[in-house]
Amino acid sequence: MGQDKPKNRPNGNLYTSKAPEDDESHQMISSLFLGPHAENYEYFKSNIIAILEATRNARLNYFPDDGPFISKEVQASATFTKHTDKIGNAVKKAAELLSKHSVPWWSPRYAAHMCMDMSMPSLLGYFMTMLYNPNNVSIEASPLTMVAEIEAGQQICEMLGYNLDPEVKSAPVGWGHITCGGTVANLESVCLARNLKFYPLALRNAVKDFGPLSFIGDTFVVETCRGPKKLFKDLSKWELLNLKVDTVLEIPDRLSVEHGISSKFLQDTMKKYGIQSVGLGSLERQYDIDQPIQYMLCSTRHYSWPKSGAIAGIGSQNVVGIAPDMEARLDLNDLDKLLQASLEKQQAVYAVVSICGSTEEGAVDPLRGILELRRKYQAQGLSFVVHVDGAWGGYFASMIPRDFRPGDPKNAEPPKQTGRGDGFVPDASLRVETQEDIYAMRDADSITVDPHKAGYIPYPAGSLCYRDERMRFLITWTSPYISRAGTTESIGIYGVEGSKPGASAMSTWLANRCIGTGPEGYGALMAEVCFTISRLSAHWAAMSTETSSFICVPLNLLPSERKAMQDPNTTSESYAQAVDQEKQLIRDRVLNKSNQEIIDEDADRPTEEKAMVLLRALGSDLNINAFALNFRYSDGTVNDDVEEANYLNRRVVEVLSVDSPEDDPTKIPFFLTSTEFEHELYGDCAKHFKKRLGLAEDEVSLFVLRNVLMTPFPTEGNFIDKMVNIFQEVVEKEVEVCRKRNETMENHHSFILQDGSDKIYLINRSMFYLASRRRQLIASANLDEKSLNTYRDAKKNNPKESYFLSTAQKEDISKTILSDGAFEAVITSKSGKTIAQNVQVKSFTAIKDRPLNSKYRDHAYPSGHMPFYLYGTPSSLHIDHMLLLAPNIQLSASNVTLSVDPPIPAEKLKNGCILYLDGVQESAMQPFLPTSHLVGGTGPTSANNFFFQAGKRFKVSVFEDRYGIDAGGPGLGDVDYGKRLATGEVVLGGEIWVDSEGVNRDPFKRPSQTAKWREEFDKIGKELE
């Protein structure tokens, strides 16, 4: 798939036809980046040269009398020249490989991950500092970049709304520092919440009789969570665990002022009693804490949270998920229930996390509501830290107007626009609710922010900011005490990291300084990005119609959907009508309009009818869209199988992404990525999303497409339309594949032959991923006498061979084979030899005909046994493994020896029973390795290590099959143990079939490409030989 050619546009490129008039914010933003086509290359190059010259001058000016250490004679030597040439060639080759295989983040065609062209100030800041390689672990190793980190922390704190003025007494002084990323910042916040929670307990041990602080026991009073004051030594365990954050942080200052206790003395005391010394388990045992303290956040959380729980020792299981609402934000009602349960059980809570910009959906949790719940439960004696995971959304705080006040009616008005022309990019504001929750971050105790995400700064650059600077003393190794006073110690003593690049701090500081962390800087950039994502959101919302071959549904509800869901009188008809009308409104007022036309036409509309207001209501809270596709069959029916909708979405993202060195990023015209809504994590959110997609209600996880936009450039020149058209072409092509995979059509069918004493038994060679073979079919049949004798002669001569009966022509099992009961076939051996032709099959009768669609499958593999169908006659018994979940394995055995008490009646066997191999742990075996790994080849096995082979003996239980011949699951393998037919053992006969590949094969799967990353790097190595 090649790149589409740009239209010839006067005085411009793909993005604009002419410079926007008076759009100073866009002009400023255009100066920040190298540019999609390296438009600002000369400016960037001149800065790089200036940096290199400064580096050279620094070396020349440091004791210049030392003179050169590398002489011109050495530089002119053959060896020197040879090695510099080698390095030069390797550098060129490496640069060539990077340009060939790197994903083009810089292009407006890239709309996948949280990646974009980094700002020039950040790149230059990193490059200039990298040449000196400072280590921000200590001032000695990084005198300047240590200051840059302190300054960068203050810049981010100010952007988030934290107070930085020590003279202001109404709020504590904030503090922040740079980390290697959000994962480490989140880990640090977990460790801090843990240390804060146990600080009063550790201090209480020091205050006990004969403890080093016992002398304060009769006088030191603190305020409990509920308000009354008590002697510290008399606080209960529950009261100690629930002191407010400010109360804990004030203790060291109060000990100094009221009791003259020095910082050194307190430091030495806490070295002996503190959690970082004695450990979490020790304090839990001392205070008989038998209910694990919990850490709560929305179940849509980043993977770093359970990881942090594990590393910090609180346990990933105690990182408790709060249910998301329909648009993947934290559900306050569910949080309220969890906190109430914690209060009633007196199970303490470390922290509640509010996610500001979930990485999969761009959702902003209702922080105001979380803070209100904390106040509610503090009044009842339960307190906890409130942390904000703003790794993605933190920089969006720059969009908040300086005069913003929650509840102000003007917050609902779209921003005033300045500028005209084809290149004009309007500014969009955040939703009112989002603005107010971001504004509320100033009241959170700590916040994670990643400059290397929405700060457009190179990796690695995360950050953690504290509302109260004293919090940092809770997680340090040289001074594990809390002190109000500032320090001149190295910033590297705080947090969980050691060595870290000063280049990251300088990059962050310089970018923040050059761009600005307010509405005129990053805020302006974010505003244009939000407009861009809104325009793309409009396409996802209104792309598909009733006549489209597919449907596209965004996770985030349309305004009409939100309104309909709140109206108890809404019917399905009125709901659909309202949604269709709004989609048409989006097409009329947004999709078919230029930026300038949208603004011009809005001028005469009241606020509530403006297209800009509608745009702001579309998509997620920030600049991420989660959406999913489903397809229609040829007759217009909407697919209801979740697995098959997932298949469509996977195929689309495979075309529009890179996963192998053989993939050429320069040939991919539009980039998307994906995520998965796991049933266990997303619950009703995923359930509702499936319903809107027309899918069945089940527990299958939903595969979801995802796009992140960080570029302000593609909204003009019909560029987004170009990308959307490419997307639609890909989807329509993949829909055709899905139809072929899912529409039952005539096909050649193959059956495993099992020879009975009076009948032939046939097992369909099932395939989960092809509609015409998506069934587990076991049947009895008669063959014409000549063919039957030919088959039995072949089997007699080669009894360990497997034999198949295949239809001579393409057939529809349902329409011809099952209805007529007769067809013509061919018998072949596993090796491919034809045994008999013109075979006449008659009296084809289904014993079991169970559908294998995903909605009929179980949600877990059988545990404690392995279920089989048992069928045949008392003198000729056969078994076939029940296919209850995918992936799976076909296991069948002919003419088994069954010794059970009592004997199974012939009538039961005729209809088929269920046989359990007792003690065979199927759940522990699944998924099985490829057949060749199990038996050394497809078919009968002589391998000694696989459990299913001729002569093997198993304990068994036999049950009646309670369901009809063509019943669908789930639960087909469930039995009534009280109505067991018999128990005993089975010995497998000589005819065994094992296949873990064919049943799981996807006939439409693209050929896999072998990754050759090492071979690519070898090309660089060869330049050094």
Side-chain angles (χ1 to χ4, degrees), residues 262-276:
S262 69
S263 295
K264 177 68 167 59
F265 184 82
L266 186 58
Q267 172 186 352
D268 292 341
T269 298
M270 296 311 292
K271 276 185 179 180
K272 180 178 179 181
Y273 292 94
I275 188 173
Q276 294 191 150

Side-chain angles (χ1 to χ4, degrees), residues 504-519:
S504 294
M506 179 62 81
S507 175
T508 303
W509 173 80
L510 188 63
N512 289 344
R513 186 69 180 81
C514 291
I515 299 172
T517 56

Side-chain angles (χ1 to χ4, degrees), residues 1 98 115 177 204 234 365 369 401 439 493 626 644 682 859 897:
M1 188 180 297
L98 279 171
C115 301
H177 71 121
R204 177 66 180 80
D234 292 338
D365 286 343
Y439 182 84
I493 68 172
E644 296 309 309
Y682 283 80
H859 308 305
T897 301

Side-chain angles (χ1 to χ4, degrees), residues 23 184 201 739 763:
D23 190 357
V184 167
L201 278 70
R739 287 176 172 176
I763 302 172

Side-chain angles (χ1 to χ4, degrees), residues 11 32 87 103 186 198 204 264 344 419 437 468 479 504 545 563 581 704 788 809 847 875 882 891 941:
N11 304 319
L32 299 178
I87 293 171
V103 176
N186 286 340
F198 280 93
R204 177 66 180 80
K264 177 68 167 59
E344 292 173 358
D437 284 317
D468 191 322
S479 300
S504 294
T545 67
K563 184 177 179 180
Q581 289 176 348
V704 176
L788 179 61
Q809 302 174 6
I847 299 172
S875 61
M882 297 179 73
L891 300 170
T941 175

Side-chain angles (χ1 to χ4, degrees), residues 230-248:
K230 294 177 65 174
L231 281 174
F232 182 77
K233 72 172 186 176
D234 292 338
L235 294 178
S236 68
K237 173 180 68 176
W238 180 249
E239 288 171 328
L240 287 168
L241 286 169
N242 287 285
L243 293 179
K244 294 178 181 179
V245 173
D246 291 345
T247 301
V248 176

